[in-house]
């Protein structure tokens, strides 16, 4: 996939015609036309027309040779989120399948959440659940994220880092789990560029320094190997395998190595016609050069969970340098590059790959997502569990029959048992690891052979198992057991826990457990009624503390506001009475409080004649604002208002700062005339700045010292008399 080329719609259509029939081409073109109309007059941060982005996303999907519904989804993926078009409109115009794909990648926009993190977690949860129903959702999302990463330079640094972090935490690992290495590597390298630019460009420079030397070395190796293969009539395609920057960075950081200590900078990839040829090539290579101990991996006999297959070996090459070699068939190479997309790709017109169904069956963790999300009622908790199960380092263990089971690092025999079957997990009474009895909290290691001991007379899981197990799948099944077995008991237990947690917050349960409040909370956590919520607390499906916090949030917020106001008023009175703070000469009286520190707020610069309000501050007395100041319009601010008034509005000799903005036609001498007018009015200025735009519109900002609003009006009227001045406005900081 070319990173820098900006595809046109004709480029995308042209690539699609290589494998799609005319009817499907017309279908995806209609999706483009629909998206183009929907995004009319919308632009990206780069200044490009918005439709450029959907075209690039669809282009990435076409390069993966996806089906027409997925490509249409690529064109339309932002229309529900960023335009007025609805799910129903897309369903009517195209079909239910396309509408579901678009909805799956659409963020939640109309619901308010307590924080950006909570909203983002809900967005991810929605996407993963949609993905569990149709894997193509994530292919569209990965294409969307890939193009966004390619254009990240147009965003502010803070957003660049946030998006890059999210890419490394979620999208790159997901691409890896799906086996789409062509997308995974680019996401990781681009994210590194924004998260650690110093290391990124350092590695780039180090790679460049000996690039010619490495390329010459690899060419000599490949020429030598080709001669060897000819002698035994093996047809092979040889190429140098580029090492990705993020992979080098991780090895340097994780293994505390220098750049010149990384073994696999020099690598050759060999693609042959059959599995038999793979092993024949391996034999030739090990005959030519000495293999390094512990560096041979047979992913053909034992494929990775994402179905990646290849032979990996590292040998001491011709010049004594470590040389990594990968050997695979053409089919294996296609899966290594495109992963799940290779199985969804069109083969011969409208027929999907025959082994797509068996491929989906092997990726059972997708289906488990639906089960986890039904049991986990907090989106942030759901995402943390997902990161552990899908994106953490993995261990590979064996059943007694030799089947390979993949589990997150740190898993225990109980996780293994529940991975095999729910009933095996529920009836577990012990486990043998490599023929030796081990406790149920034993940490599994790569290569362990696990035999689970079960009994039909087992009483079932213990509550302690929830603390021992690591995988969401195991925890979910344990919670389901308690949910089914002891519902009534759990409801009573849950009520007791929630009541106790509410009292711990110094609130009487009867205050919080009112019907409308209960309904708000149990619907928030996707329960159908109060009993379901209490039962979940009873079997530890959700914590009582979390429910109590939600039930009392409004009560606690109201109490806190009242306490803060009372405390602050007392502090102000105490300061004025006991400390005898010197009263700042602001020309303002505070009703009900004498000898208090008073200051004029800089955000709105009130002057005598303005309608004003006082605002109680902590430790700084009373700040005075104009009544129309935006900072004084919130409910919290209104609770801190005090009545204040000017001492002498019209006869004061004090001077006050006022900010003015003057706009007019940008002509020579305009600023000088404004300054001259200030001089005529005998008005002091403390700040002056000006700018103009391409439309010859000038904006002058000045800060002046005045006595009151009457004085201000005279100055404004004088400035307005200047030729080519359009407006004079008083501004807020």
């Amino acid at each position: 996939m070319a990173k820098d080329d900006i595809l046109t719609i004709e480029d995308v259509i042209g690539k699609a015609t290589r494998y799609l029939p005319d009817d499907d081409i017309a279908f995806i073109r209609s999706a483009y036309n629909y998206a183009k109309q929907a995004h009319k007059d919308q632009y990206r941060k780069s200044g490009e027309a918005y439709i450029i982005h959907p075209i690039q996303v669809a282009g990435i999907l076409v390069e993966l040779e996806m089906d027409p519904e997925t490509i249409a989804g690529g064109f339309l993926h932002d229309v529900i989120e960023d335009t007025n078009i609805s799910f129903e409109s897309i369903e009517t115009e195209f079909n239910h399948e396309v509408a579901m794909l678009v909805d799956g990648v659409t963020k939640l926009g109309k619901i308010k959440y307590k924080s950006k993190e909570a909203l983002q977690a809900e967005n991810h949860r929605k996407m993963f659940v949609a993905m569990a129903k149709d894997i193509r959702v994530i292919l569209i999302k990965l294409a969307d994220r890939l193009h966004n990463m390619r254009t990240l330079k147009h965003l502010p640094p803070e957003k660049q880092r946030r998006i890059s972090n999210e890419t490394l935490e979620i999208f790159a690992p997901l691409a890896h789990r799906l086996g789409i290495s062509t997308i995974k590597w680019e996401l990781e390298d681009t994210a590194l560029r924004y998260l650690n630019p110093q290391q990124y460009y350092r590695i780039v420079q180090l790679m460049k320094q000996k690039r010619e030397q490495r390329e010459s070395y690899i060419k000599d190796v490949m020429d030598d190997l080709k001669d060897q293969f000819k002698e035994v009539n093996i047809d092979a395609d040889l190429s140098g395998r580029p090492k990705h920057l993020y992979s080098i960075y991780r090895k340097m950081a994780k293994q505390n190595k220098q750049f010149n200590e990384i073994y696999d900078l020099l690598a050759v990839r060999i693609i042959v016609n059959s599995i038999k040829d793979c092993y024949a090539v391996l034999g030739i290579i090990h005959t030519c050069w000495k293999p390094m101990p512990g560096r041979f991996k047979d992913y053909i006999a034992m494929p990775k969970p994402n179905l990646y297959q290849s032979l990996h070996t590292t040998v001491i090459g011709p010049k004594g340098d470590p040389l990594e070699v990968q050997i695979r068939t053409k089919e294996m190479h296609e899966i290594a590059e495109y992963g799940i997309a290779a199985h969804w790709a069109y083969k011969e017109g409208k027929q999907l790959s025959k082994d797509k169904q068996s491929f989906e069956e092997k990726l059972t963790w997708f289906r488990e997502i639906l089960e986890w999300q039904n049991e986990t009622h907090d989106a942030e908790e759901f995402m943390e569990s997902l990161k552990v199960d899908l994106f953490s380092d993995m261990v590979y263990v064996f059943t007694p029959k030799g089947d390979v089971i993949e589990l997150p690092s740190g898993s225990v025999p109980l996780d293994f048992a529940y991975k095999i079957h729910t009933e095996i997990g529920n009836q577990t009474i012990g486990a043998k690891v490599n023929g030796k009895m081990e406790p149920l909290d034993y940490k599994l290691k790569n290569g362990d052979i696990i035999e689970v001991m079960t009994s039909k007379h087992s009483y079932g899981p213990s509550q302690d198992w929830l603390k021992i197990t690591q995988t969401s799948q195991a925890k979910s099944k344990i919670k389901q057991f308690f949910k089914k077995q002891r519902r009534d008991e759990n409801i009573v237990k849950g009520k007791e826990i929630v009541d106790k947690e509410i009292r711990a917050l110094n609130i009487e349960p009867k205050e919080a457990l009112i019907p409308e409040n209960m309904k708000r909370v149990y619907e928030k956590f996707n329960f159908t009624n109060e009993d379901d919520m209490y039962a979940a607390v009873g079997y530890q499906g959700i914590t009582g503390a979390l429910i109590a916090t939600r039930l009392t949030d409004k009560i606690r917020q109201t109490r806190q506001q009242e306490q803060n106001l009372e405390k602050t008023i007392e502090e102000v009175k105490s300061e004025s009475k006991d400390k005898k703070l010197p009263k700042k000469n602001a020309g303002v009286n505070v009703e009900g409080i004498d000898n208090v520190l008073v200051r004029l707020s800089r955000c709105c610069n009130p002057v005598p004649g303005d309608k004003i309000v006082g605002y109680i501050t902590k430790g700084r007395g009373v700040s005075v604002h104009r009544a129309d100041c935006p900072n004084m319009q919130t409910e919290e601010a209104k609770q801190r208002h005090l009545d204040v008034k000017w001492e002498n509005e019209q006869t004061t000799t004090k001077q006050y700062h006022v900010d003015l903005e003057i706009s007019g036609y940008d002509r020579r001498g305009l600023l000088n005339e404004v300054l001259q007018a200030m001089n005529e009015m005998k008005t002091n200025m403390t700040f002056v700045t000006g700018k103009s735009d391409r439309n010859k519109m000038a904006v002058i900002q000045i800060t002046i010292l005045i006595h009151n609003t009457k004085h201000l009006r005279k100055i404004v009227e004088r400035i307005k008399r200047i030729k080519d001045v359009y407006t004079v406005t008083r501004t807020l900081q």
Side-chain angles (χ1 to χ4, degrees), residues 185 188-211 214 242-254 257-262 264-265:
W185 291 121
E188 289 181 337
D189 285 357
T190 312
L192 177 63
R193 176 182 167 191
Y194 292 102
L195 288 173
N196 197 335
Q198 185 177 356
Q199 280 289 66
Y200 174 87
Y201 288 110
R202 176 173 172 262
I203 294 171
V204 168
Q205 193 59 36
L206 289 168
M207 293 280 284
K208 282 181 179 177
Q209 285 174 4
K210 295 186 178 180
R211 182 177 177 180
R214 284 199 307 273
K243 187 65 181 173
H244 296 278
L245 302 177
Y246 184 73
S247 176
I248 296 172
Y249 168 77
R250 275 198 71 186
K251 285 192 176 182
M252 290 171 66
K254 204 171 182 180
K257 289 185 175 181
Q258 295 300 313
F259 180 81
N260 57 9
E261 296 179 279
I262 305 297
D264 49 359
L265 285 175

Side-chain angles (χ1 to χ4, degrees), residues 89-156:
S89 299
I90 295 176
E91 188 175 33
T92 303
E93 186 71 24
F94 298 95
N95 56 45
H96 180 72
E97 195 174 352
V98 172
M100 288 296 290
L101 291 174
V102 174
D103 184 62
V105 293
T106 299
K107 293 178 185 175
L108 303 163
K110 298 181 180 178
I111 306 172
K112 291 185 178 179
Y113 292 90
K114 64 176 181 178
S115 65
K116 288 183 180 179
E117 290 77 12
L119 173 59
Q120 195 69 336
E122 286 287 1
N123 283 328
H124 288 147
R125 177 180 182 147
K126 178 178 184 286
M127 178 188 71
F128 276 104
V129 172
M131 177 185 75
K133 295 175 183 175
D134 193 328
I135 294 172
R136 291 174 295 174
V137 167
I138 201 58
L139 295 175
I140 297 172
K141 190 63 186 176
L142 286 172
D144 172 48
R145 177 52 60 108
L146 181 59
H147 183 248
N148 282 336
M149 290 300 290
R150 289 175 179 175
T151 56
L152 208 56
K153 62 184 178 184
H154 301 291
L155 296 181

